[in-house]
Amino acid sequence: MTDSKLDTNDELWLFKSYADQNDIEAVTDVIQRGTWWANGPEIEAFEDAVADATGTDHAVAFNSGTTALYGQLLAHDVAGGEVIVPSFTFPATANAVVAAGGTPVFADIEEESLALSADSVREAVTDDTEVIMPIHYGGTIAKDIDALCEIAVNNNAVLLEDACHSLGASMDGQRAGSFGSSASFSFCFNKLVTTGEGGMVVTDSAAIRDQLHQIRNHGRDSDGRTVDYGYNFRLATMNAALGGAQMSRLDWMIEERRRMATMLNDRLADIEGLWLPEPPEYCDRVYLYYNIRLDSMERQQALVSHLDDNGVPSRTGYDPVHLTPYYRSEWG
């Protein structure tokens, strides 16, 4: 991998995965080996790289960020309990709670990091609260993460992180994924590190790690005995090889995104009524997304139309999950 800048003269895309010759060679090596395509040594190497990057003791690879979310909720036995999640998130966050037998309880976000508001969570906590699960949105750390951890402790709940957006982000030297009992990451096509589809759960708990191994591999223990029910949530070796190659340049990719965000911030700074994603004072952002906000819905719609007319792709943010047809009809 060279130190050259990303090619910014290519056709405009909403996002585009970055790969180099190291990635191609890593995947090719697995294919040419002709064996260990499902459980090769590249999987453990990828897990070790993610654990090291997040400052955690263990990492367990899954075949998607969603199955990683689901797996960590199963490992923490949320069935029958309430799980507080933000409504401003991708539906996978809440869907994983429902699939694991929990009840999703939606809370609001605070304005700076667009992550769970501690004040809103305090209002949502009940005696049935088992888990508080913030997301670190768009490459940041949830600004209220320390307060959320305190709320969890004071209410005998567990804090789990949906860190799918924020591999490499940190606050006071502590990395996303290391604040709670466990955390999930995604490596789908639009993430900084991508395996096409893929996920990871990180934790300091050996017991949770062992449960995750069983969940992802048909309920089998390290001796191959079926000791519980489980699933086939394994990550293929070729995907893990790609992820491992990409992890080797995580810091470089983070700096490239920061460089491009700085360029955009400088050029857009004089536009009135436009909120830009400046680097926050409280954490080191990795800029998975470059999110802007406008002072009215009319201006937002006009901007989207203008960008479309000029061939510049854009996307509006998440629709609140609690207002989607399924959650309105089934969960009130």
Side-chain angles (χ1 to χ4, degrees):
M1 193 274 295
T2 67
D3 290 330
S4 62
K5 303 299 184 185
L6 294 176
D7 183 3
T8 56
N9 296 315
D10 202 351
E11 179 182 355
L12 290 174
W13 298 77
L14 183 60
F15 60 86
K16 190 172 184 180
S17 301
Y18 179 74
D20 63 15
Q21 188 62 32
N22 289 338
D23 297 344
I24 295 170
E25 292 175 0
V27 176
T28 300
D29 286 346
V30 175
I31 295 173
Q32 292 180 336
R33 187 171 63 208
T35 188
W36 296 110
W37 282 20
N39 55 353
E42 290 82 1
I43 295 172
E44 185 173 347
F46 184 30
E47 291 172 335
D48 289 345
V50 174
D52 183 65
T54 57
T56 54
D57 292 338
H58 312 289
V60 181
F62 281 76
N63 58 11
S64 75
T66 301
T67 56
L69 278 168
Y70 178 45
Q72 77 168 347
L73 288 164
L74 288 177
H76 287 85
D77 192 20
V78 303
E82 295 178 349
V83 179
I84 298 176
V85 296
S87 180
F88 181 68
T89 183
F90 191 67
T93 306
N95 290 347
V97 174
V98 175
T103 298
V105 175
F106 295 104
D108 209 343
I109 57 174
E110 47 78 25
E111 189 171 4
E112 184 171 0
S113 69
L114 306 182
L116 268 181
S117 159
D119 289 339
S120 183
V121 170
R122 290 188 185 98
E123 295 177 0
V125 167
T126 72
D127 292 340
D128 294 322
T129 301
E130 297 279 350
V131 168
I132 298 169
M133 190 163 71
I135 73 164
H136 301 306
Y137 176 75
T140 62
I141 302 286
K143 186 177 181 180
D144 288 353
I145 188 64
D146 289 337
L148 294 171
C149 289
E150 183 179 355
I151 294 169
V153 170
N154 291 341
N155 289 275
N156 296 314
V158 176
L159 187 125
L160 305 180
E161 298 167 73
D162 179 343
C164 289
H165 289 185
S166 294
L167 180 64
S170 63
M171 185 172 74
D172 297 328
Q174 187 171 355
R175 294 293 184 100
S178 64
F179 292 90
S181 177
S182 67
S184 294
F185 291 93
S186 170
F187 305 110
C188 76
F189 44 83
N190 66 341
K191 300 303 189 288
L192 272 75
V193 169
T194 180
T195 60
E197 280 287 3
M200 193 83 71
V201 179
V202 298
T203 182
D204 288 335
S205 168
I208 294 297
R209 175 205 60 194
D210 293 344
Q211 285 182 278
L212 291 166
H213 281 158
Q214 292 176 17
I215 289 166
R216 78 169 179 187
N217 191 26
H218 305 285
R220 295 188 292 183
D221 65 12
S222 58
D223 295 322
R225 300 174 301 171
T226 301
V227 296
D228 202 347
Y229 76 95
Y231 307 90
N232 182 5
F233 289 157
R234 295 173 299 179
L235 183 68
T237 304
M238 283 174 277
N239 299 73
L242 176 58
Q246 296 227 332
M247 284 296 298
S248 68
R249 59 173 184 274
L250 174 63
D251 291 342
W252 177 80
M253 288 192 287
I254 289 172
E255 289 307 313
E256 279 293 284
R257 288 181 179 243
R258 287 174 176 161
R259 177 184 67 81
M260 290 185 283
T262 298
M263 177 189 70
L264 288 167
N265 285 340
D266 289 344
R267 295 187 182 188
L268 300 174
D270 294 333
I271 300 177
E272 293 185 6
L274 188 65
W275 178 95
L276 301 176
E278 297 283 354
E281 294 183 359
Y282 73 93
C283 80
D284 293 321
R285 182 197 296 262
V286 299
Y287 285 102
L288 175 66
Y289 301 140
Y290 185 84
N291 286 109
I292 62 173
R293 302 212 305 271
L294 292 100
D295 55 7
S296 73
M297 184 66 72
E298 291 75 19
R299 291 192 72 195
Q300 181 200 57
Q301 293 170 343
L303 177 59
V304 170
S305 296
H306 174 73
L307 293 173
D308 286 344
D309 291 343
N310 287 274
V312 179
S314 66
R315 184 177 68 183
T316 56
Y318 297 135
D319 292 328
V321 178
H322 77 283
L323 297 181
T324 59
Y326 169 73
Y327 284 96
R328 294 186 75 168
S329 63
E330 296 295 326
W331 298 94

